[in-house]
Amino acid sequence: MLSYRHAFHAGNHADVLKHLVLVQLTRYLGQKDKAFWYVDTHAGAGLYALDSAQTAKLSEYREGVGRLWGRKDLPSAVSDYLNAVRALNADGSLKKYPGSPSLALSTMREQDRLWLFELHSREVIRLRENFQAFGKRVMVEEADGFAALKALLPPPPRRALVLVDPPYEERRDYERVVHALKECLPRFPGGTYMLWYPQLTRLEAHDLPPRLKRLPASSWLHVTLRVRTPAADGFGMHGSGLFVVNPPWTLQATLQEVMPYLVEVLGLDAGAGFTLDSQEA
């Protein structure tokens, strides 16, 4: 089974895609004065030292954010994302990487709130440590994000971004992400939902996008980034995808500009590529 603990893979190609889109979504929601919530079902530790034992074991960031770090030809959306990473690395060297909660918080306002769920006991300790200075703006719970999500929606401000980002360590995670959205959409049909998944040779990963497209969502966007040809032995992640329900109207044009650039910079062989499709309300 794939083991996708955030710390082992911080800053890799999947994080680049996920976090670039995340910044676009939170900034779009912040254009209106009314507050919104950010809900993260599998928050991890929220912040990672790239020289830590876990992250340095694979150093996947070198083939992800590391390839973008010193470039001067960044598209605007890539620059927005990298500026949020640079804010944690004031001396200009890439030593820390923000997880999804840190990136979200960096683009949110005083009136906005974060709800962060993490079930792994060691990760949730680090998560609390990383966000304890922000008081009631950030709520951290040691809980199963899938189970907690239904009770949290709809949020009081009736505006929210929900990130569903499980580790896919178990096959049932593929079923649980579909079930979670099926439960949440009737309760909060106007919310923005972003679901991340790995591209693998496994049948469950292959079948997930068609299942998501059959959900009762009026509008969605689906983007994938493949960085290499799938391995002959079927081992490992060759790319990742994002499925966004109720995306901003600006997102598709942004990704049409950005994705060819990411393929060029992050691609490892001739199998690199991207897909982008959507359904409008």
Side-chain angles (χ1 to χ4, degrees), residues 5 29 44 54 65-66 68 99 102 128 144 156 165 175 193 201 214-215 220 239 247 255 258 260 262 267 272:
R5 287 275 304 284
L29 286 168
Q54 288 180 320
V65 65
L68 300 169
S102 294
R128 287 195 172 107
D144 181 345
D165 181 22
E175 185 65 39
Y193 302 84
T201 55
R214 292 194 294 269
L215 288 169
W220 51 259
L255 292 176
V258 165
L262 293 183

Side-chain angles (χ1 to χ4, degrees), residues 37 39-42 115-119 141-154 162 176 180 183-184 187:
W37 283 12
V39 182
D40 197 323
T41 61
H42 298 76
W115 283 82
L116 309 179
F117 298 98
E118 178 55 49
L119 196 55
E141 291 194 14
E142 185 174 357
D144 181 345
F146 286 126
L149 190 55
K150 182 179 178 181
L152 204 61
L153 301 178
V162 178
R176 295 188 79 191
E183 282 198 324
C184 291
R187 296 178 64 87

Side-chain angles (χ1 to χ4, degrees), residues 22-40:
L22 176 62
V23 169
Q24 293 297 305
L25 296 178
T26 53
R27 288 197 167 178
Y28 184 85
L29 286 168
Q31 290 178 8
K32 290 186 177 180
D33 291 338
K34 191 174 181 181
F36 72 93
W37 283 12
Y38 168 81
V39 182
D40 197 323

Side-chain angles (χ1 to χ4, degrees), residues 18-167:
K18 175 171 57 181
H19 292 154
L20 183 152
V21 172
L22 176 62
V23 169
Q24 293 297 305
L25 296 178
T26 53
R27 288 197 167 178
Y28 184 85
L29 286 168
Q31 290 178 8
K32 290 186 177 180
D33 291 338
K34 191 174 181 181
F36 72 93
W37 283 12
Y38 168 81
V39 182
D40 197 323
T41 61
H42 298 76
L47 180 65
Y48 306 97
L50 295 178
D51 60 355
S52 70
Q54 288 180 320
T55 305
K57 183 176 181 179
L58 299 175
S59 294
E60 290 188 8
Y61 74 92
R62 298 183 187 277
E63 300 299 324
V65 65
R67 289 194 169 204
L68 300 169
W69 191 247
R71 296 184 68 100
K72 306 298 183 184
D73 60 344
L74 302 173
S76 177
V78 181
S79 183
D80 288 344
Y81 151 67
L82 270 188
N83 284 341
V85 181
R86 288 192 183 105
L88 286 174
N89 297 277
D91 65 355
S93 59
L94 183 56
K95 297 177 181 177
K96 296 180 181 179
Y97 188 80
S100 301
S102 294
L103 275 170
L105 183 62
S106 72
T107 62
M108 293 168 69
R109 307 154 304 174
E110 286 293 326
Q111 66 265 40
D112 304 321
R113 297 291 180 267
L114 290 82
W115 283 82
L116 309 179
F117 298 98
E118 178 55 49
L119 196 55
H120 194 283
S121 58
R122 287 194 296 273
E123 294 286 84
V124 80
I125 291 172
R126 297 188 184 97
L127 185 65
R128 287 195 172 107
E129 290 172 350
N130 288 330
F131 291 92
Q132 63 183 356
F134 297 97
K136 294 184 178 180
R137 285 189 65 197
V138 182
M139 305 297 293
V140 176
E141 291 194 14
E142 185 174 357
D144 181 345
F146 286 126
L149 190 55
K150 182 179 178 181
L152 204 61
L153 301 178
R158 299 284 171 165
R159 303 181 72 229
L161 167 61
V162 178
L163 173 61
V164 183
D165 181 22

